[in-house]
Amino acid sequence: MTERNISMVVEFILLGFSELPSLQGFLFGIFLFIYTSILVGNGLIIVITKVTAALQTPMYFFLGNFSFLEICYTSVTIPRMLSDLWTQKKNISLPACAVQLGFLLSLGGSESFFLAVMAYDRYVAICKPLYYPLIMNPPKCLQLVSGAWIIGIPIQVAQTCQLFSLSFCGSNKLNHVFCDIPPLLKLACGDTSLNELSVYGGATIFVTFPALLILWSYSKIIKTILKLPSAMGRRKAFSTCSSHLIVVGLFYGSGFIAYFRPKSSHSPEVDKVLALFYTIVTPLFNPLIYTLRNRDVIIAIKQLVSK
């Protein structure tokens, strides 16, 4: 038998957008603008849902928490991306990579269930309006928000620990913009079939199950809206729900493509685009969608600015 020296990986090199060396400064400016917009836009929603008396309802309570979640979610990845683009030092240690992935998965799971909770809120408001104050009482809202925040932590932390219990040998070049499961599995040594199975299991729990709940809620909502006698009432109900549906489509659409498409069709370039879509685009458009399409929010912003 011959012995071979296997160099174990102690840190990764995040390649990011290294194939575009002439655009590093431009990309830094773009991502800085996006991150600032996310902080300002979602921060504004948090403020107006706290200080505006007309917005002290379950819908805006969920929206304020969702906006805070969006800030936390993007802060896991974008500051690191900005640092890499500015300093060109793209190395990240295994513990730092594990921490980033753990937060990313946990907050991503929370976002998925937050969207389901918000769909349930719209279902109760439109399909059972007389019972809405009774069902969506303050303790119930607090329970739903707390559950959405913490439901993903144990499973996603366990999945992260399982992934980083693998050995990484050979290349330490992670062809991605941040630490994510698919590119990490490509660098792992040995059999990763169990890890791949757990990825599909986690995606089923945190993507498929909430998506089915949302589809069920909106199937009931649409049936109820179509029965409304007033055209204006139908238009108002559709307008209220369409904002949430746009956010749902952006988040789940990219998530489904990223985690459920065949492994043979994976490519680093497509993975990077999809990752940016479900970690950056949705939080960026969230304030625009909920403000430009919501008359109550626009009025609250105007009142806040005038004060």
Side-chain angles (χ1 to χ4, degrees), residues 203-217:
T204 301
I205 294 172
F206 293 102
V207 178
T208 306
F209 181 62
L212 290 175
L213 288 176
I214 292 170
L215 288 175
W216 176 84
S217 298

Side-chain angles (χ1 to χ4, degrees), residues 24-277:
Q24 299 295 294
F26 174 75
L27 290 172
F28 176 84
I30 290 292
F31 286 121
L32 181 61
F33 173 76
I34 290 174
Y35 187 49
T36 304
S37 301
I38 290 171
L39 294 180
V40 173
N42 286 284
L44 182 60
I45 289 179
I46 294 170
V47 171
I48 62 174
T49 55
K50 289 291 184 183
V51 303
T52 306
L55 302 185
Q56 302 305 306
T57 64
M59 174 182 172
Y60 296 106
F61 174 67
F62 295 137
L63 180 58
N65 275 271
F66 185 69
S67 295
F68 179 65
L69 173 63
E70 296 284 54
I71 291 175
C72 297
Y73 188 46
T74 53
S75 296
V76 174
T77 56
I78 299 183
R80 173 78 203 196
M81 291 165 57
L82 290 172
S83 175
D84 291 345
L85 288 168
W86 181 259
T87 64
Q88 295 299 304
K89 294 179 180 178
K90 302 177 183 294
N91 55 308
I92 182 171
S93 66
L94 256 71
C97 188
V99 169
Q100 185 184 58
L101 180 63
F103 274 106
L104 183 71
L105 294 178
S106 297
L107 293 172
S110 295
E111 177 159 354
S112 187
F113 277 95
F114 253 107
L115 291 171
V117 167
M118 294 167 76
Y120 174 71
D121 172 69
R122 292 298 84 207
Y123 159 73
V124 178
I126 293 173
C127 299
K128 299 183 179 182
L130 297 178
Y131 296 97
Y132 184 72
L134 182 64
I135 296 174
M136 302 305 291
N137 56 68
K140 180 68 171 291
C141 292
L142 189 59
Q143 289 173 4
L144 289 171
V145 165
S146 301
W149 271 107
I150 67 176
I151 193 169
I153 295 176
I155 297 176
Q156 302 292 28
V157 169
Q159 190 172 60
T160 303
C161 293
Q162 182 190 39
L163 177 61
F164 279 87
S165 66
L166 296 170
S167 298
F168 298 93
C169 55
S171 175
N172 68 337
K173 294 181 179 179
L174 195 67
N175 194 3
H176 209 58
V177 290
F178 51 78
C179 292
D180 204 358
I181 294 177
L184 284 167
L185 285 176
K186 291 180 181 179
L187 300 183
C189 303
D191 184 19
T192 61
S193 57
L194 182 61
N195 298 85
E196 292 172 9
L197 186 62
S198 70
V199 170
Y200 285 114
T204 301
I205 294 172
F206 293 102
V207 178
T208 306
F209 181 62
L212 290 175
L213 288 176
I214 292 170
L215 288 175
W216 176 84
S217 298
Y218 275 98
S219 66
K220 298 290 186 181
I221 289 171
I222 291 171
K223 287 181 181 179
T224 302
I225 290 175
L226 293 176
K227 293 178 182 178
L228 293 176
S230 167
M232 184 177 294
R234 290 195 297 270
R235 194 180 304 113
K236 183 178 180 180
F238 271 121
S239 177
T240 302
C241 296
S242 61
S243 300
H244 183 247
L245 280 174
I246 293 171
V247 176
V248 167
L250 289 171
F251 181 76
Y252 284 108
S254 56
F256 270 115
I257 297 172
Y259 286 97
F260 285 103
R261 76 187 195 277
K263 188 178 178 181
S264 58
S265 65
H266 279 243
S267 70
E269 290 73 21
V270 174
D271 288 343
K272 290 176 188 178
V273 172
L274 289 172
L276 292 176
F277 213 86

